[in-house]
Amino acid sequence: MFWLSHHHENEYNRTYLLGGVRVCARCLGTYPVLLAVMVGLFAARAPLLWRWDVPVVLGLTLPALVDWSVGRFRPASGSNAVRTLTGVLLGTALGRSLFVHVQKPLPAVLVWQAALVAVVALPVLLASSRGPKDG
């Protein structure tokens, strides 16, 4: 079932098989944690601005970006445990930035996070899509 995993058959090494369904290893760490962090921040009535928001959110986002980037160039590398761990870190970062965004659209923390993702992902996507051409 594709709706729980955005990976094709040749990338099943990046998924867990749970009850006969493929689930992306990183997403399994990201989305439950993102939801838990947001619920926790709302329940705690957390402030919308913390002094360390930007560096912490960027620091928690970076491991998932690095692991994803390496995987784009070396598809057989890495482990699902690392993918899930980086997903947990990413979920924590996204939970915080989205908690603020829901209440104050486009906060600095979310803009910086989006910029980091773009600065890493765009060159990686361009470079990794340039494979050997049949000719």
Side-chain angles (χ1 to χ4, degrees):
M1 298 203 44
F2 194 72
W3 65 276
L4 289 178
S5 174
H6 47 88
H7 297 282
H8 296 284
E9 192 171 331
N10 64 332
E11 296 178 319
Y12 278 177
N13 64 312
R14 299 177 172 283
T15 66
Y16 294 111
L17 185 59
L18 303 176
V21 177
R22 294 276 172 190
V23 180
C24 171
R26 187 169 294 112
C27 292
L28 187 64
T30 302
Y31 292 108
V33 171
L34 184 159
L35 180 62
V37 167
M38 285 189 71
V39 167
L41 290 172
F42 275 110
R45 297 177 187 227
L48 293 181
L49 182 63
W50 283 335
R51 180 179 179 184
W52 297 100
D53 267 342
V54 172
V56 168
V57 164
L58 296 183
L60 292 172
T61 301
L62 196 55
L65 284 172
V66 169
D67 186 51
W68 171 81
S69 297
V70 169
R72 290 291 297 187
F73 294 105
R74 295 185 358 212
S77 70
S79 73
N80 282 347
V82 170
R83 289 181 194 100
T84 303
L85 175 60
T86 63
V88 167
L89 299 175
L90 180 61
T92 303
L94 288 169
R96 175 60 188 167
S97 60
L98 292 175
F99 165 78
V100 178
H101 173 67
V102 165
Q103 299 172 80
K104 181 185 171 204
L106 293 177
V109 66
L110 183 65
V111 171
W112 279 103
Q113 187 178 36
L116 174 64
V117 170
V119 163
V120 172
L122 290 176
V124 169
L125 287 170
L126 286 172
S128 65
S129 68
R130 294 182 185 166
K133 303 291 181 205
D134 293 335

